Amino acid sequence: MLGTRFDAAAEPAQRNRVANLELLGEIDDALAQARAGGGPAKVERHRDRDKLLLRERLALLLDRDSPFLEIQPLIGHGSDFHPGGSSVSGIGRVNGVECYVGGSDPTVKGGASNPFSVTKALRGLQIARENRLPVINLTESAGADLRTQKDIFVRGGRTFHDLTALSKAGIPTISVVFGSSTAGGAYVPGMSDYTVLIRERSKVFLGGPPLVKMATGEAADEEELGGAEMHARTSGLGDYLADDEVDAIRAARQIVARLGHRKLGPGPTEPADPPVHDPEDLLAIASVDLREPFDAREVLARVLDGSRFEEFKASFGTNLVTGWGSLHGFPVAVLANNGVLFSQEAEKGAQFIQLANRMSVPILFCQNITGFMVGTRYEQGGIIRHGARLINAVTNSEVPHLTLMMGASYGAGNYGMCGRAYDPRLLFSWPNHHIAVMGPQQLAGVLSIVARSAAENRGEPYDDAQDAAIREMVETQIEAESNALFSTGQGWDDGVIDPRDTRDVLGLALSAVHGAPVAGASSFGVFR
């Protein structure tokens, strides 16, 4: 069992707690904006049509009092588009079956897709495919936002590819159409295994009346072009015809109940008792000033079942903490940063990843990393080879990976600790997280050194005052483009979470990844 040396009353701890609560306040404000949809007027107009809001539909679809792990709720934050990609999606339980559920928000530009909507939809389908989660689309969309068609059309076609590929893989897909499903959006019910339509509400067509009139000269109304009754009786698109929204949701839940869908991974096998140490401390442990280190074991002591952790190679490569534990009863292999990565840490990490694959145990990466060590001694000592070995192991590992960004994620350390490019099944960030090629001060300093050297080579004097101004500008820019809100807005993670919720979020994630078989790699690439 992990002990603790953490002093919650110490000044640095109190400072971290206050700063993290402020950051969480910013996250909450952004989430409130996303959840407000198109604003009071659009919401009221939607209700006047006797329609449920998207989140209300989801609440009825999901099992009562069951958890919902929302994915990328703030994608698009800081852009010209509504945060959240004008949609809501995530992992939830329907009749006891973990599913990937979601849909477009019709109060935001009629549910029309924008570039962030496409990114989010593709990410959701990837999560469903990798973890064998049935997909339920609550469909009501005006199609693509034509003003951004150049950023949607080509990439967006992949959503239909992935949707029908799920069916081939034996992963059920269900579409419940609550209103219009126009143009490309018509292919969502068209390519789903099961389609539920609502009388006098659902409208599914490739071309609506104005387009048909323009293209063919035919005058047709919405009902005969794409109404629910027509599709149920004539075209055959509709499999179930519901009387209203609640009835449609009932039908979707009944479909899931009859699927007979079962997880292919093992269930929890360890005691799922809560940590001995208080998770509330995590707010004070996580350094907001990333130059201040914190011990990853203090985090693990407040996340793992019973604070139990069997550390592996504890005295070797001490800047990388590795070992075995469990989360909500699911065994996990843990790699957590305690500083910069040297050759020993890289070797240790690569070996441990191989062992986790030999035992078919999912891996949890806890990132707080400034990168691999640089300098003559370390280059000559083989840091490139050793770092490549770790990255090779991460790349070719086949057990499920989960990644928690609990601080810095700089340079190739991001790669060696399973950053976004290395396809973790799910990746979440704490509000103090920063990600970039390097820290703002280091990056500005490198640019300054290069500029000074170039001026000397040209035989020109160097303007120190201008250099200071440029360095300040660069530091400000990198700080703004590397923080948690910016990175989640770009879709670089699956959401920013409250550190105190880490154990439950990771537990839900582990439950989801066990929907697919959990089996380790039998071979790796060449380790130099």
Side-chain angles (χ1 to χ4, degrees):
M1 185 184 297
L2 288 167
T4 183
R5 296 180 179 178
F6 177 69
D7 181 4
E11 190 275 330
Q14 292 296 310
R15 187 172 67 247
N16 284 336
R17 179 178 174 81
V18 170
N20 274 310
L21 285 172
E22 289 178 358
L23 292 173
L24 285 174
E26 294 176 18
I27 300 294
D28 286 343
D29 290 344
L31 287 171
Q33 181 186 359
R35 290 166 180 163
K42 298 290 180 62
V43 168
E44 188 62 31
R45 186 168 69 179
H46 189 75
R47 289 196 184 282
D48 287 343
R49 294 171 177 167
D50 198 25
K51 288 187 172 186
L52 296 169
L53 299 176
L54 175 57
R55 290 183 182 273
E56 293 171 340
R57 292 167 180 168
L58 285 169
L60 288 174
L61 176 67
L62 299 173
D63 294 349
R64 186 184 298 274
D65 297 327
S66 66
F68 177 57
L69 184 57
E70 189 169 353
I71 300 298
Q72 295 189 328
L74 290 178
I75 191 170
H77 175 82
S79 72
D80 294 332
F81 300 99
H82 189 79
S86 303
S87 62
V88 180
S89 62
I91 301 168
R93 295 192 189 121
V94 179
N95 269 328
V97 178
E98 283 177 340
C99 300
Y100 196 87
V101 302
S104 299
D105 186 345
T107 70
V108 182
K109 299 186 183 301
S113 297
N114 61 56
F116 291 104
S117 311
V118 174
T119 300
K120 183 173 180 176
L122 290 173
R123 175 59 179 152
L125 291 169
Q126 179 188 12
I127 291 170
R129 181 182 69 252
E130 291 177 344
N131 303 297
R132 291 190 69 257
L133 302 175
V135 172
I136 306 176
N137 275 299
L138 306 186
T139 307
E140 184 171 11
S141 171
D145 184 339
L146 297 179
R147 295 168 299 178
T148 59
Q149 64 85 28
K150 67 181 179 64
D151 299 315
I152 295 176
F153 176 64
V154 175
R155 284 195 311 129
R158 185 74 189 187
T159 58
F160 310 125
H161 168 281
D162 289 358
L163 188 62
T164 195
L166 290 176
S167 183
K168 178 184 177 181
I171 302 170
T173 56
I174 302 167
S175 175
V176 186
V177 183
F178 289 88
S180 291
S181 188
T182 309
Y187 286 116
V188 174
M191 291 184 175
S192 296
D193 294 345
Y194 302 88
T195 295
V196 181
L197 304 179
I198 304 172
R199 282 189 177 87
E200 300 179 358
R201 289 293 178 90
S202 304
K203 303 287 189 295
V204 185
F205 34 61
L206 293 180
L211 179 58
V212 170
K213 180 69 173 177
M214 180 65 67
T216 69
E218 178 188 0
D221 63 31
E222 288 188 341
E223 190 61 35
E224 60 184 333
L225 273 176
E229 294 270 2
M230 185 278 291
H231 281 306
R233 301 178 186 278
T234 307
S235 79
L237 178 66
D239 302 316
Y240 298 85
L241 187 59
D243 293 326
D244 53 30
E245 294 196 8
V246 174
D247 190 37
I249 293 169
R250 178 205 57 77
R253 286 181 53 82
Q254 189 62 31
I255 292 169
V256 174
R258 294 189 183 277
L259 289 175
H261 191 76
R262 298 289 183 270
K263 292 187 176 188
L264 298 185
T269 58
E270 304 296 322
D273 46 324
V276 172
H277 307 291
D278 191 355
E280 186 73 27
D281 292 339
L282 292 171
L283 284 177
I285 291 170
S287 298
V288 173
D289 183 346
L290 299 182
R291 294 168 296 186
E292 297 179 358
F294 60 88
D295 189 347
R297 295 177 189 84
E298 297 288 358
V299 175
L300 299 178
R302 291 157 178 82
V303 172
L304 296 175
D305 292 340
S307 302
R308 291 182 296 274
F309 184 62
E310 180 187 336
E311 191 160 355
F312 174 79
K313 264 186 161 70
S315 301
F316 181 86
T318 54
N319 279 4
L320 182 65
V321 178
T322 56
W324 313 96
S326 65
L327 263 163
H328 281 278
F330 291 100
V332 287
V334 180
L335 289 88
N337 297 124
N338 251 3
V340 67
L341 293 172
F342 294 87
S343 289
Q344 283 191 346
E345 281 78 8
E347 291 182 13
K348 172 181 174 178
Q351 179 191 1
F352 187 66
I353 289 170
Q354 287 181 301
L355 293 174
N357 275 264
R358 180 70 60 85
M359 299 171 63
S360 295
V361 175
I363 300 175
L364 170 63
F365 293 86
C366 298
Q367 283 205 29
N368 183 21
I369 179 66
T370 55
F372 290 92
M373 192 61 187
V374 297
T376 304
R377 173 185 172 187
Y378 306 103
E379 298 286 3
Q380 292 179 357
I383 190 66
I384 294 175
R385 286 191 303 106
H386 299 137
R389 184 178 301 177
L390 176 59
I391 295 172
N392 183 327
V394 171
T395 302
N396 293 297
S397 167
E398 294 180 6
V399 295
H401 295 176
L402 300 177
T403 301
L404 174 67
M405 301 292 201
M406 58 181 193
S409 181
Y410 293 144
N414 171 275
Y415 307 154
M417 289 296 292
C418 198
R420 177 60 105 194
Y422 290 80
D423 286 334
R425 295 285 184 89
L426 290 158
L427 185 154
F428 296 98
S429 302
W430 282 359
N432 63 326
H433 166 58
H434 280 68
I435 181 170
V437 172
M438 60 187 75
Q441 294 79 18
Q442 289 78 14
L443 195 149
V446 168
L447 292 177
S448 174
I449 291 170
V450 171
R452 185 181 297 274
S453 177
E456 290 176 356
N457 291 338
R458 294 192 301 267
E460 299 173 355
Y462 194 69
D463 189 333
D464 288 321
Q466 184 182 28
D467 175 75
I470 292 175
R471 288 181 65 153
E472 182 179 359
M473 179 187 69
V474 169
E475 287 183 23
T476 301
Q477 176 187 343
I478 301 305
E479 175 66 28
E481 294 177 352
S482 65
N483 63 45
L485 259 178
F486 181 86
S487 66
T488 203
Q490 297 298 305
W492 297 344
D493 63 20
D494 294 315
V496 181
I497 63 172
D498 187 323
R500 296 167 293 188
D501 294 332
T502 301
R503 171 177 163 79
D504 288 341
V505 168
L506 293 178
L508 291 169
L510 278 167
S511 181
V513 303
H514 283 77
V518 178
S522 58
S523 63
F524 288 79
V526 175
F527 283 2
R528 294 175 55 86

